[in-house]
Amino acid sequence: MTGSRRDFLRTSAALAALAWPLTTVGAPARAWAQGDKQGGLLRISATFGLSTLNPLAHISGAEWMATRWLYSNLTRLTPKRDVVPDLAESWTAGDGGRVWTFKLRRGVQFHVGREVVADDVVATMQTILDPKTASPYRGEIGPIDRVEAVDKSTVRFTLRGPFADFPAIMTVPVARIVAREGLGDLKALAAKEFGSGPFRLREFVPGDHVTVERFAHYYRSGRPFLDAVTLKVFPEPATELTAFRARETDMIWDVSPDLYPQITATAGANALAVPGGTFANVIMPTDKPPFSDNRVREALKYTVDRTAMLAAINGGQGELANDHPVSTAYAFHARLPIRTPDLGKARSLLREAGHGSGLSFKLFAASSPPIREKMAVILKEMARPAGFDIDVEVLAYDRYLAQVWNKGVPYIGFYATRPTADAILMKLYHPKEGLDEGRWAPSHPEAIHLLEQARETLDVERRRRSYATFQKVSRDDGPFVLPFFRNELSGSWGYVRDFTLNASNFEVDLEDVWLTADAPRKKG
């Protein structure tokens, strides 16, 4: 085992302690025979997404969840935040973390009826990295220079620089391994699947539902227990709750915080919560006025009462944030004093920036998930006394993606917990490996260099110092208002057994989940 691998495991162990559910209410446990666990249809609900099944192109949590059932990665992230084998049974690092070699399990079958081999991994990664593919998350699979098949069951990645977190990055949704014959028509891949996951596709109606069925030749013998799973979209959270309480669904993937107490109070239901790094943020494009002036950005940050906003939007379920995306769920979180609201300072900063008579701007938000619109409306009211006049425009999710997201205008973003701090920081700030949503990187090359240094060094303490410095710079001078991190909230009926909520809430692992005999669709 190499030094970089040891460092990586220490990081995973530090994350593990943060992933246990905060609340679990349900029936007492008892011993069950293996045969009792087999069979049934599990029905899960979500409120948005599900427009594609293409793992190279999907961009919403519901799509990430569905492709997790259909596809496998080289590695997987457990609820304890450990990185463990999936298609790869082992991996080693060489050249100081610049070269990573993965050994594949032998005999793993694709749903199309043939063995998973190294050429499939190579073809998938090359397709993701090809600019013609336009994969929105290709920057998340790391600084890959080349990938090659050493032999049928060995894949070697050569990176542009050392990267201690690389095995963890192979857990991200975009890194699902696709059978190479499925990569020839990426448009068709939106509605077809070429995976090796625990379930195979039965039916897909974009924007409405997807149904998957047990894959009998999955590499984990005897898994999954379920016969099938349906993921159904309910655009309105209240309607979603009504369906759940009527037992028309068995699990709510992402419970709205205002409805979470009703799950807790429902007899026979399990209410689950786990701390994570999911957040909504205000993106302030810094490449043009007014947000090119940090005094304006800082003024807006000072208008936010973070405690009140967390209580109003997420029922207090979460932790306060400091305008950067690294929560306590990450090993390299740096403790900094939380910015407190100061309307006087906000007004003073606006005057210094030449906006003594106030500042107007339009802020866009998608209608789902609800946290986006709620944050925009509350920020509008909190910022008004300081002189900000914010015109909030709420758009349907699809229109938001097409016209607003990453288009260089002020809007509300939304991001789920990533496997490492590097993953979320590079995603949001780096101009090449990520999106640089705030158009901030060109004016802050030293800060971006800190991220690059932290990624490349195998020395844990040096990484910690680099990340701590970056978090302070981003808090004081960054392009985001990021007030809090939410807890992940979910609900299920007591007859749904052995489900564990993950801080990366889209990682809905159902391989060990089973239904008791009294489940409505046990024989589904």
Side-chain angles (χ1 to χ4, degrees), residues 439-499:
R439 309 299 193 261
W440 187 71
S443 60
H444 294 79
E446 298 87 355
I448 301 304
H449 185 57
L450 281 172
L451 291 184
E452 294 168 343
Q453 285 182 318
R455 163 176 280 200
E456 293 178 357
T457 182
L458 303 181
D459 185 299
V460 173
E461 290 309 313
R462 285 182 59 193
R463 296 182 76 196
R464 192 180 308 281
R465 289 194 296 271
S466 293
Y467 283 129
T469 301
F470 182 89
Q471 288 168 62
K472 185 178 187 306
V473 171
S474 184
R475 179 196 65 175
D476 296 341
D477 195 26
F480 308 131
V481 178
L482 201 164
F484 65 86
F485 300 99
R486 71 173 203 181
N487 289 340
E488 305 300 344
L489 307 175
S490 183
S492 68
W493 285 106
Y495 53 75
V496 179
R497 297 301 178 90
D498 291 344
F499 171 71

Side-chain angles (χ1 to χ4, degrees), residues 330-468:
Y330 299 103
F332 293 112
H333 170 78
R335 295 192 177 277
L336 297 168
I338 297 292
R339 192 192 305 271
T340 55
D342 190 331
L343 294 177
K345 189 171 183 64
R347 285 190 289 266
S348 176
L349 286 166
L350 279 183
R351 284 195 300 271
E352 291 175 20
H355 301 285
S357 58
L359 175 63
S360 301
F361 69 93
K362 177 169 282 191
L363 179 63
F364 296 93
S367 58
S368 61
I371 188 174
R372 298 183 197 252
E373 181 178 355
K374 291 179 180 180
M375 179 172 287
V377 171
I378 292 174
L379 178 65
K380 173 185 175 74
E381 296 307 316
M382 287 184 171
R384 189 194 305 275
F388 285 98
D389 181 15
I390 303 175
D391 178 16
V392 174
E393 182 172 343
V394 180
L395 296 84
Y397 183 66
D398 289 346
R399 185 181 169 200
Y400 163 88
L401 290 178
Q403 300 179 8
V404 172
W405 180 70
N406 201 29
K407 298 296 191 294
V409 297
Y411 64 94
I412 304 294
F414 180 73
Y415 283 92
T417 311
R418 293 319 200 250
T420 66
D422 172 89
I424 190 61
L425 289 171
M426 295 296 277
K427 175 71 177 179
L428 293 187
Y429 296 94
H430 202 278
K432 294 181 179 179
E433 304 294 342
L435 296 173
D436 186 21
E437 279 190 278
R439 309 299 193 261
W440 187 71
S443 60
H444 294 79
E446 298 87 355
I448 301 304
H449 185 57
L450 281 172
L451 291 184
E452 294 168 343
Q453 285 182 318
R455 163 176 280 200
E456 293 178 357
T457 182
L458 303 181
D459 185 299
V460 173
E461 290 309 313
R462 285 182 59 193
R463 296 182 76 196
R464 192 180 308 281
R465 289 194 296 271
S466 293
Y467 283 129

